[in-house]
Amino acid sequence: MGKRGSRSQSQLLSTLTKKQKKHLRDFGEEHPFYDRVSRKEAKPQICQLSESSDTLDSESEAESEPEQLSGYHKLLTTLKDVYEIIDEEPEMSGEDGDVSVEEEMAAESAEMQENMALYTDSQEKDGEGPPGKSQEGSPEEFTDAKHESLFSLETNFLKEESGGNCSLKVLQDPFLQHVNRELREKEVQAVATNPKTTHQLKWPTLGQLVFSSKFQKLETFKPPKDIDVKSLHLQKPLESTWTKTNIQFLSGPKKSSSPFTPLQKELFLIMNSYQDLFYSERTALKNGEEIRHVYCLHAINHVLKANARVLGNNSRRRSQKLGVGDDDDFRDQGLTRPKVLVVVPFREAALRVVQLFISLLEGDSKKKIIVSNKKRFKGEYGSDPEERPPNLKRPEDYEAVFVGNIDDHFRIGVAILQRSIRLYAPFYSSDILIASPLGLRTIIGAEGEKKRDFDFLSSIELLIIDQADIYLMQNWEHVLHLMNHMNLLPLDSHGVDFSRVRMWSLNNWSKYYRQTLLFGAVQDAQINSLFNKHCINLQGQVAVRNVPMTGSISHVLVQLPHVFQRMEAENLASAIDVRFSFFVNKILPQYRDAVMSHTLIYVPSYFDFVRLRNYFKKEELNFTHICEYAKKSGISRARQFFLQGEKQFLLLTERFHFYKRYTIKGIRNLIFYELPTYPHFYSEICNMLKATNRGEEATWTCTVLYSKYDAQRLAAVVGVERAAQMLQSKKSIHLFITGEK
């Protein structure tokens, strides 16, 4: 589906399709083409519309979506035995301007050759002409319309040398087992009431796993010691290119035998079983790229298999002359084409994902794959080394997260057809969508807005959310908004051929077949809630639930007494108000005295920060504040006032610390209004006390507020055993760190 190479040709085809449909309704029984296909006497108005469903579906595609190829192109490339081709004005109409069959076929062949020539030169010419605008949600947002027909699934066929059919015929292929599994109405209705069954297993590398499912059958398995690449049912050419792409992570004697690291092997076994996965130990410094490689392998493998099945069925339909066989045999698609959605926080991450896709399709082979608009993509998603800020001292994890282009507003469609990649493809012509939460939110819109679209999310079969913890620092509401619009029935048909749509998509059961892969660096209640609420895959869910034994408090390098003040809250909703009252009535009075100057109050939530700031203003307390929205001049002024002691209190938000990592000097007293989202932030803030050591160590204090609903964050800071004791006791806990690491 898509635009043709010429504007005039596109307009001609659009007009042709509408008149052809009208002709079928009025004179269908007399047209030679339909006489040959029907092989029986045609009757007006009914016989051709039912027996030529494929043609009519193609026509509806072109009518509902102007950018789609018409049924004319589809019929021309698939029906070799048909001599008479429908012209713009039917020959029987007797109107002027008729075009002969030979001339039209010659023009079609010439146009296809021209498109192929344009496509072959795409790498050299992309980026020329008008620069266009980047993916900023602008009405003039650039999309590649030049190569639409070349990447259309409806008008292409599976090449015999690709070997795709052989792989797809294997009954043990987990892809086929997943998409061909049929749910019953009773099973779907029981999901809302069925209790979740769970089972725990311990794997060598991942550690403690929790398998769960709301469907009756809970499938668990253990990883084999050795893994054969051929048993993973990888689509060609991934069997050969994966080892070359992943070579940087392979080391030791197993380098030649196993193409996976131990972590990658266990992760891919879960991915390849099409179970939902939540892995909360993904860090930018340690294993981030290692995990990115393996989920890109799974995504490209899924797309290649799905497209190979569609192209293979196109060949079967052509060989059967579009009239023989059961339509259910060809149900191989969703309601829209996009099938994989990769959510990443920054453009740099999107750049690396696309580069991995190219490497996985290309490997080190001499035959390079064709990538359209590659030059433009590198220009918009790459980074200029000269744009780096001056060398400031930052932690290693900060440098690893904020590397390259850190723009967080983008979205791009990627179409893959065998060994070719098309970047900037229109969403409804894409196989893979790569976007940030903000980029998706601006196109999804809100209820009541006129220009909004989320139909492209209707048939997502694989959702990958990488670096989920960063979205807590950006705007978690965007992620929740995205999840609420996943796998909904589309409002428009978008030119779909309903005879090719899977029954579970038509039944609005796509959410039960969608696999969600969720990667983050922390065990957070909001991320856990998203995984438990929105991940209801019929294959089940797998969550990695390792508990921290030591905690980040062991990395505090200063001698500091830690007082953990417990507050009692009846439920999670009331915890916010209880925390504020507890702080105002019991904690703050202890620090009002001038002796307790240089007090830093660390506030993770921006809403709590605003509430405290307003209260401090109302009480006319001597304070200053720094948040992520503050200007540089205001930040410098607040830091100087606090260091000199002109301001007794400093309110500091967690998001500011996440994005800036400034060392705040002059701290003598610390108050954690709530435990940090990142455990290592606790030790970082505590270690700031030594930035201005003036022999005042004996007067340093650290107070932490917590409740039973902060169990995960508490365990990450003090360790699981100590956290269990603190949650059982209702008294305040005093800890003293000696300064030994």
Side-chain angles (χ1 to χ4, degrees):
M1 296 186 299
K3 290 183 179 179
R4 304 292 295 272
S6 171
R7 285 188 177 180
S8 60
Q9 184 71 5
S10 176
Q11 295 174 356
L12 178 65
L13 291 175
S14 178
T15 307
L16 167 67
T17 300
K18 294 180 180 180
K19 291 190 176 183
Q20 180 181 341
K21 180 180 289 187
K22 183 178 184 300
H23 175 76
L24 287 174
R25 289 197 301 267
D26 298 338
F27 312 103
E29 77 284 359
E30 297 180 2
H31 198 282
F33 171 76
Y34 290 100
D35 288 342
R36 293 174 65 90
V37 173
S38 64
R39 293 192 176 93
K40 66 178 181 178
E41 294 183 3
K43 296 181 180 181
Q45 297 181 354
I46 55 174
C47 72
Q48 297 313 321
L49 292 178
S50 60
E51 293 185 12
S52 302
S53 60
D54 188 72
T55 304
L56 295 180
D57 287 336
S58 300
E59 295 168 357
S60 65
E61 289 176 1
E63 183 179 12
S64 62
E65 186 174 348
E67 296 184 359
Q68 307 296 327
L69 270 180
S70 69
Y72 171 80
H73 183 268
K74 181 176 179 180
L75 293 171
L76 186 63
T77 55
T78 57
L79 300 180
K80 294 182 178 180
D81 62 324
V82 179
Y83 179 75
E84 295 84 4
I85 304 298
I86 301 177
D87 297 323
E88 178 179 1
E89 299 294 337
E91 293 179 353
M92 63 187 69
S93 66
E95 295 181 7
D96 296 336
D98 291 348
V99 181
S100 66
V101 174
E102 291 79 8
E103 291 175 350
E104 190 142 342
M105 293 183 67
E108 180 72 25
S109 176
E111 183 178 355
M112 290 299 295
Q113 292 178 2
E114 181 183 357
N115 282 342
M116 287 300 298
L118 288 172
Y119 184 67
T120 304
D121 298 334
S122 61
Q123 287 190 15
E124 299 176 359
K125 294 184 178 180
D126 58 19
E128 295 181 0
K133 295 186 179 180
S134 61
Q135 306 292 75
E136 300 286 347
S138 168
E140 300 180 3
E141 181 176 314
F142 173 76
T143 54
D144 176 19
K146 182 172 59 176
H147 307 119
E148 189 79 356
S149 61
L150 299 177
F151 283 86
S152 172
L153 290 180
E154 286 75 7
T155 57
N156 285 280
F157 306 95
L158 189 66
K159 296 181 180 179
E160 295 180 358
E161 62 268 18
S162 66
N165 269 341
C166 299
S167 175
L168 290 175
K169 288 181 179 178
V170 180
L171 296 179
Q172 292 78 14
D173 190 341
F175 168 79
L176 285 178
Q177 291 179 349
H178 179 63
V179 298
N180 290 341
R181 179 174 173 180
E182 295 184 1
L183 277 177
R184 294 177 296 178
E185 185 73 27
K186 294 182 179 179
E187 293 180 286
V188 176
Q189 293 176 353
V191 170
T193 57
N194 281 348
K196 181 177 287 188
T197 57
T198 60
H199 183 74
Q200 295 189 10
L201 287 177
K202 189 172 184 180
W203 284 21
T205 304
L206 290 179
Q208 197 69 29
L209 302 185
V210 178
F211 291 79
S212 61
S213 177
K214 276 201 167 187
F215 291 86
Q216 293 181 355
K217 188 177 181 181
L218 176 62
E219 298 180 0
T220 61
F221 59 95
K222 290 186 177 181
K225 293 183 179 179
D226 299 323
I227 186 171
D228 184 11
V229 179
K230 296 182 179 180
S231 65
L232 298 177
H233 303 278
L234 295 178
Q235 190 78 353
K236 291 184 178 180
L238 299 180
E239 288 186 9
S240 59
T241 60
W242 166 247
T243 303
K244 299 174 183 177
T245 304
N246 198 49
I247 194 69
Q248 57 180 306
F249 302 108
L250 305 178
S251 60
K254 296 183 180 180
K255 182 174 182 178
S256 58
S257 60
S258 176
F260 294 90
T261 65
L263 175 63
Q264 288 177 332
K265 181 187 74 173
E266 296 186 4
L267 287 175
F268 189 76
L269 287 174
I270 298 175
M271 295 178 188
N272 208 32
S273 68
Y274 280 90
Q275 294 176 305
D276 294 330
L277 171 64
F278 175 33
Y279 182 70
S280 59
E281 299 177 15
R282 185 247 192 249
T283 59
L285 271 177
K286 185 178 179 183
N287 55 18
E289 290 305 310
E290 190 178 352
I291 293 173
R292 196 195 311 274
H293 274 64
V294 74
Y295 75 62
C296 284
L297 170 66
H298 179 56
I300 202 76
N301 187 43
H302 179 87
V303 170
L304 291 177
K305 287 182 178 181
N307 288 354
R309 195 180 189 195
V310 174
L311 299 178
N313 284 340
N314 288 349
S315 301
R316 290 175 56 200
R317 288 166 66 92
R318 179 175 59 174
S319 63
Q320 294 177 3
K321 300 181 181 179
L322 299 180
V324 183
D326 187 0
D327 285 343
D328 289 342
D329 295 340
F330 303 107
R331 294 192 179 275
D332 50 18
Q333 304 174 21
L335 291 167
T336 53
R337 179 171 173 176
K339 53 186 70 71
V340 175
L341 173 61
V342 182
V343 182
V344 289
F346 305 119
R347 285 182 181 252
E348 173 67 22
L351 174 68
R352 297 186 182 187
V353 168
V354 171
Q355 288 174 340
L356 280 175
F357 288 159
I358 297 174
S359 299
L360 288 170
L361 289 178
E362 191 173 74
D364 293 334
S365 61
K366 297 181 180 179
K367 186 178 180 181
K368 301 295 184 180
I369 66 172
I370 300 175
V371 183
S372 63
N373 305 302
K374 187 176 181 180
K375 185 177 180 180
R376 174 188 290 272
F377 177 74
K378 287 185 176 180
E380 294 184 359
Y381 285 77
S383 60
D384 187 355
E386 297 181 358
E387 294 179 357
R388 294 282 298 174
N391 293 329
L392 299 176
K393 188 176 181 181
R394 295 288 187 271
E396 292 182 352
D397 66 293
Y398 179 91
E399 297 291 346
V401 170
F402 296 99
V403 64
N405 191 334
I406 58 172
D407 179 22
D408 63 352
H409 187 190
F410 62 90
R411 53 182 178 267
I412 184 173
V414 181
I416 297 176
L417 194 64
Q418 297 177 13
R419 292 181 60 84
S420 302
I421 295 180
R422 176 192 183 197
L423 303 177
Y424 295 99
F427 270 25
Y428 291 98
S429 300
S430 302
D431 297 299
I432 302 175
L433 306 178
I434 307 173
S436 65
L438 179 59
L440 290 171
R441 178 60 188 264
T442 54
I443 191 173
I444 293 174
E447 187 174 356
E449 295 182 4
K450 293 183 179 180
K451 293 184 179 180
R452 59 183 310 219
D453 185 14
F454 49 86
D455 287 353
F456 58 87
L457 300 173
S458 61
S459 298
I460 295 296
E461 301 166 3
L462 175 58
L463 171 62
I464 301 173
I465 302 179
D466 196 11
Q467 296 177 273
D469 52 287
I470 295 182
Y471 309 137
L472 296 172
M473 301 292 109
Q474 292 179 344
N475 194 331
W476 187 249
E477 290 296 326
H478 294 339
V479 181
L480 298 180
H481 192 71
L482 166 65
M483 299 305 296
N484 290 331
H485 289 82
M486 290 294 301
N487 299 113
L488 301 179
L489 285 176
L491 303 178
D492 193 3
S493 63
H494 298 284
V496 66
D497 181 356
F498 287 99
S499 66
R500 302 286 296 270
V501 179
R502 302 186 186 97
M503 290 306 300
W504 47 264
S505 290
L506 295 175
N507 292 333
N508 196 22
W509 292 347
S510 297
K511 60 183 177 182
Y512 302 116
Y513 288 83
R514 185 193 74 233
Q515 182 187 27
T516 304
L517 306 178
L518 189 59
F519 302 99
V522 295
Q523 288 269 12
D524 189 83
Q526 297 182 82
I527 303 178
N528 288 333
S529 175
L530 181 143
F531 184 75
N532 295 331
K533 180 180 179 181
H534 295 281
C535 299
I536 47 179
N537 189 344
L538 59 87
Q539 302 289 356
Q541 294 76 42
V542 181
V544 180
R545 302 293 188 190
N546 294 320
V547 293
M549 300 307 297
T550 55
S552 62
I553 198 172
S554 60
H555 296 90
V556 177
L557 305 178
V558 297
Q559 295 185 359
L560 182 68
H562 302 258
V563 180
F564 288 82
Q565 298 275 7
R566 173 165 179 167
M567 57 183 192
E568 297 298 330
E570 295 182 357
N571 52 62
L572 185 60
S574 64
I576 298 176
D577 294 331
V578 171
R579 187 185 305 274
F580 179 76
S581 299
F582 187 85
F583 174 80
V584 169
N585 298 325
K586 296 187 177 181
I587 304 299
L588 189 58
Q590 304 175 21
Y591 292 85
R592 283 180 176 267
D593 197 313
V595 178
M596 304 296 290
S597 61
H598 297 272
T599 300
L600 173 69
I601 304 176
Y602 181 88
V603 189
S605 170
Y606 181 76
F607 300 104
D608 289 334
F609 165 79
V610 173
R611 191 175 187 179
L612 288 175
R613 183 191 62 189
N614 294 341
Y615 176 81
F616 276 40
K617 288 182 178 179
K618 181 181 177 181
E619 295 294 320
E620 297 182 352
L621 297 177
N622 185 22
F623 82 103
T624 186
H625 57 85
I626 299 176
C627 69
E628 57 272 23
Y629 302 110
K631 297 181 179 180
K632 289 185 178 181
S633 58
I635 295 172
S636 301
R637 191 162 49 247
R639 294 175 66 187
Q640 186 66 22
F641 287 162
F642 184 73
L643 175 62
Q644 299 298 332
E646 298 180 25
K647 300 293 183 181
Q648 183 177 355
F649 297 98
L650 172 61
L651 296 178
L652 181 73
T653 63
E654 182 174 69
R655 290 175 66 185
F656 173 82
H657 182 68
F658 173 80
Y659 282 107
K660 299 299 182 182
R661 298 292 182 91
Y662 289 172
T663 298
I664 307 299
K665 298 181 179 180
I667 305 174
R668 300 179 189 175
N669 304 288
L670 262 178
I671 299 177
F672 285 92
Y673 187 79
E674 186 180 359
L675 285 163
T677 302
Y678 291 92
H680 64 277
F681 281 4
Y682 184 87
S683 57
E684 282 186 12
I685 298 296
C686 290
N687 290 332
M688 287 183 185
L689 275 74
K690 66 178 182 179
T692 52
N693 190 351
R694 300 174 181 176
E696 302 159 342
E697 296 90 338
T699 62
W700 288 348
T701 65
C702 179
T703 303
V704 184
L705 279 65
Y706 75 98
S707 69
K708 62 181 180 181
Y709 299 105
D710 299 322
Q712 289 180 328
R713 295 187 180 187
L714 184 64
V717 171
V718 301
V720 62
E721 295 182 359
R722 187 175 289 166
Q725 298 174 0
M726 296 169 64
L727 292 173
Q728 292 177 358
S729 174
K730 294 186 179 181
K731 299 180 180 180
S732 299
I733 304 298
H734 295 256
L735 302 177
F736 186 78
I737 305 301
T738 61
E740 298 178 359
K741 191 173 181 179

